[in-house]
Structures are given as structure tokens and as C-alpha cells.
């Protein structure tokens, strides 16, 4: 019910911004984690390990973005079903 109040009383852009901030923060934390991982692996001096992290990081980011997209779409689907009393 809090989200319903959020969209009824506030401007649309403010509502969207307030719901997008947690997603942006989680992506930022994921980037920081990958940078820390790369830093500690770089301390070993092994180029193959550094290359492996450099290759996997974009794939991991893409997987996380797809999961976020599916999670958002799933939320919308559940909200529609609940709104239709199903």
C-alpha cells in the first residue's frame, strides 16, 4: 500500500527516481566488488588471472542486469494479477 500512496501523491519522476535508487546502488556496489576483486588478483602478478576477471566482469554485469529486468517484469506481472484479483 505504500507504493500505491507513492504513485498517487508524488510526481511520477520523483516516484520513479525513488524506486530506481536501490537498483543503482546495488549495481554500484557490484562494480566496487569487481574492482576490489581485480585489485587483489592483480597483486599475484598472473596475467591469465587478471584477464579472466576482466573477461568475466562484463558477463557478470550482463547477468545481473538481466536478473534485474526479469525481477522488475515479474513484479509488474504479479501486480497486474493481484489487481485483477487472480
Amino acid at each position: 500500500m505504500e507504493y500505491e500512496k507513492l504513485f498517487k501523491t508524488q510526481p511520477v519522476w520523483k516516484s520513479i527516481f525513488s524506486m530506481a535508487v536501490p537498483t543503482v546502488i546495488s549495481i554500484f556496489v557490484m562494480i566496487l566488488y569487481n574492482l576490489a576483486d581485480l585489485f587483489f588478483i592483480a597483486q599475484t602478478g598472473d596475467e591469465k588471472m587478471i584477464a579472466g576477471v576482466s573477461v568475466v566482469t562484463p558477463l557478470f554485469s550482463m547477468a545481473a542486469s538481466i536478473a534485474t529486468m526479469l525481477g522488475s517484469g515479474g513484479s509488474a506481472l504479479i501486480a497486474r494479477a493481484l489487481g485483477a484479483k487472480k
Side-chain angles (χ1 to χ4, degrees), residues 67-81:
T68 301
M69 180 184 65
L70 292 176
S72 299
S75 299
L77 186 64
I78 291 169
R80 280 184 172 176

Side-chain angles (χ1 to χ4, degrees), residues 8-82:
K8 284 185 177 180
T9 59
Q10 293 183 354
V12 174
W13 288 110
K14 188 174 181 179
S15 301
I16 290 172
F17 181 75
S18 67
M19 295 182 75
V21 168
T23 303
V24 172
I25 290 172
S26 68
I27 291 170
F28 183 67
V29 168
M30 185 174 57
I31 289 169
L32 287 176
Y33 173 78
N34 287 330
L35 284 173
D37 193 26
L38 185 60
F39 173 76
F40 287 112
I41 289 176
Q43 298 296 317
T44 65
D46 188 7
E47 294 89 9
K48 292 178 184 177
M49 291 172 63
I50 297 169
V53 171
S54 298
V55 169
V56 171
T57 297
L59 297 175
F60 185 69
S61 296
M62 288 180 66
S65 64
I66 290 170
T68 301
M69 180 184 65
L70 292 176
S72 299
S75 299
L77 186 64
I78 291 169
R80 280 184 172 176
L82 289 173

